[in-house]
Amino acid sequence: MKKYVKTIMAGALAATMLMTGTGAFAATSQAAPTAAAEAAKKQENKKFESRLDAIIARGYILVGTTGDYKPFTYLNPKTNEYEGYDIDAMKEFAKSLGVEVRFVQTSWSTMMNDLLADKFDIAVGGVTRNTDREKTAHMGDPYIQFGKAPLIRAVDKDKYKSVEDINKPSVRIGVNPGGTNEKFVREHLTNATVTVVENNLDIPGLVANGTYDVMITDTIEAMVYSKADSRLYAALTDNPFTKSEKAYMIPRGDFIFASYLDVWMDEMKLQGKFEELFHKWIQ
């Protein structure tokens, strides 16, 4: 009996030490949480009825973003700070919760897995709202409409007016990996010469200098880059190849957290906050 009691006490002590150690690490490690820290965060979330309660209790929200998709998210190398439409929106979201915001680096190809691994509470940065993502996560209410369109050189503005004009072996396309841009290219531009460029921020410049002919991207991003560089032209922004919406992505199955996100977005729209962000970062 004494041996049995000692075994229980030793196990409880070990569990307490493990939870304390990993819990402390989860609070301090933001950019690259370890497997132990992620497990501790999952355990922490289980203590609460909703992730919403866990966020408020810990005092900060973890926001996953790529930092490479202007005007929604951009990791400024000069300041090493994130900036953009969705970055400002998430600061407002954190303010509504009464917590601080901590941004976590992710990529388009790993975003979903990182969200499911509890590396962050919400994914933002020009995320397209679609049924494919909704099968695995939860896409909140939309906040802006857009479509897929070509960013090309200004001298070629009369050259690429349709999918047929671009879908040729002679047309060189640069595309970022893992997102809806690459999906569109793989499905509709199978005859073109496609190169995957890891850093999305590099592609507009590579189109401008003639390395590639076309960048398939969102109408909004195309307009931002063409406005910043006179060598570029945002084609078909009034009649894009597709029509979609942007939304924020959270783990599915948490009705309370999803409902809070939706009500907050309604408030942002009613108070004109999204309109202010549009004028600041896009128009």
Side-chain angles (χ1 to χ4, degrees), residues 108-236:
W108 292 106
S109 56
T110 64
M111 179 182 286
M112 182 63 78
N113 288 336
D114 288 346
L115 178 70
L116 299 180
D118 254 352
K119 292 184 179 180
F120 38 79
D121 302 300
I122 186 169
V124 311
V127 182
T128 300
R129 189 175 192 258
N130 57 39
T131 52
D132 282 344
R133 287 185 169 126
E134 185 69 20
K135 290 174 184 175
T136 310
H138 172 69
M139 303 300 299
D141 287 345
Y143 60 90
I144 198 167
Q145 292 185 349
F146 72 99
K148 295 301 178 190
L151 178 68
I152 60 179
R153 286 181 293 279
V155 294
D156 293 332
K157 66 179 182 179
D158 295 322
K159 190 174 182 180
Y160 303 113
K161 295 183 177 181
S162 67
V163 168
E164 291 72 27
D165 291 340
I166 300 171
N167 193 27
K168 299 175 181 177
S170 59
V171 179
R172 300 162 299 168
I173 298 176
V175 67
N176 62 304
T180 55
N181 291 340
E182 184 182 18
K183 183 179 179 181
F184 179 89
V185 170
R186 299 300 183 190
E187 290 180 355
H188 302 284
L189 300 171
T190 55
N191 293 325
T193 301
V194 178
T195 301
V196 175
V197 181
E198 287 298 323
N199 190 347
N200 188 65
L201 295 170
D202 292 338
I203 305 176
L206 293 171
V207 172
N209 69 22
T211 302
Y212 304 116
D213 302 304
V214 175
M215 175 188 186
I216 296 296
T217 186
D218 300 343
T219 50
I220 296 168
E221 186 183 36
M223 288 188 290
V224 168
Y225 279 118
S226 64
K227 185 177 180 180
D229 190 334
S230 60
R231 297 174 297 171
L232 295 172
Y233 177 70
L236 306 176

Side-chain angles (χ1 to χ4, degrees), residues 46-113:
K46 289 179 181 178
K47 297 177 183 177
F48 299 92
E49 183 180 4
S50 166
R51 182 179 294 265
L52 175 68
D53 304 317
I55 292 168
I56 294 172
R58 82 167 87 104
Y60 61 88
I61 183 170
L62 296 173
V63 177
T65 194
T66 62
D68 69 347
Y69 217 60
K70 291 181 178 180
F72 299 101
T73 176
Y74 175 57
L75 181 57
N76 191 324
K78 295 180 180 178
T79 63
N80 201 33
E81 297 285 341
Y82 288 95
E83 57 188 50
Y85 185 110
D86 285 342
I87 303 305
D88 282 356
M90 285 299 103
K91 290 176 181 177
E92 290 291 330
F93 189 48
K95 189 186 300 182
S96 77
L97 291 163
V99 301
E100 68 172 284
V101 60
R102 299 183 183 181
F103 294 103
V104 179
Q105 183 79 45
T106 187
S107 68
W108 292 106
S109 56
T110 64
M111 179 182 286
M112 182 63 78
N113 288 336

Side-chain angles (χ1 to χ4, degrees), residues 41-58 97 121 250-261:
K41 184 136 43 63
K42 285 183 178 180
Q43 189 64 34
E44 175 195 43
N45 290 339
K46 289 179 181 178
K47 297 177 183 177
F48 299 92
E49 183 180 4
S50 166
R51 182 179 294 265
L52 175 68
D53 304 317
I55 292 168
I56 294 172
R58 82 167 87 104
L97 291 163
D121 302 300
I250 63 175
R252 70 177 183 179
D254 191 334
F255 174 77
I256 296 173
F257 188 36
S259 297
Y260 184 89
L261 176 62

